Amino acid sequence: MAETVKCAHPACSCMVEKGGPHGKYCSEHCKEARDKIELRCDCMHPGCR
Ligand SMILES: [Zn+2]
Ligand SMILES: [Zn+2]
């Protein structure tokens, strides 16, 4: 069973599989937005729209 953690982006509530392609982020978007303060996650995942 895959272990999941919450995406490391503060505004994101996606769950990420450990060792996924984007590290501790759910997507490339969150990875690039880690230095920005976003009020709302825009990663396009269903839970974040
Ligand atoms: Zn998100
Ligand atoms: Zn995310």
Side-chain angles (χ1 to χ4, degrees), residues 2-46:
E3 224 183 312
T4 53
V5 291
K6 200 188 85 66
C7 175
H9 191 290
C12 182
S13 53
C14 295
M15 295 307 286
V16 189
E17 226 175 87
K18 259 193 178 171
H22 308 289
K24 48 196 176 124
Y25 298 90
C26 70
S27 63
E28 207 57 39
H29 172 87
C30 286
K31 205 171 165 184
E32 283 169 16
R34 73 191 150 196
D35 293 329
K36 302 172 201 154
I37 306 296
E38 290 192 321
L39 295 176
R40 196 178 66 90
C41 180
D42 204 20
C43 71
M44 305 299 281
H45 289 131

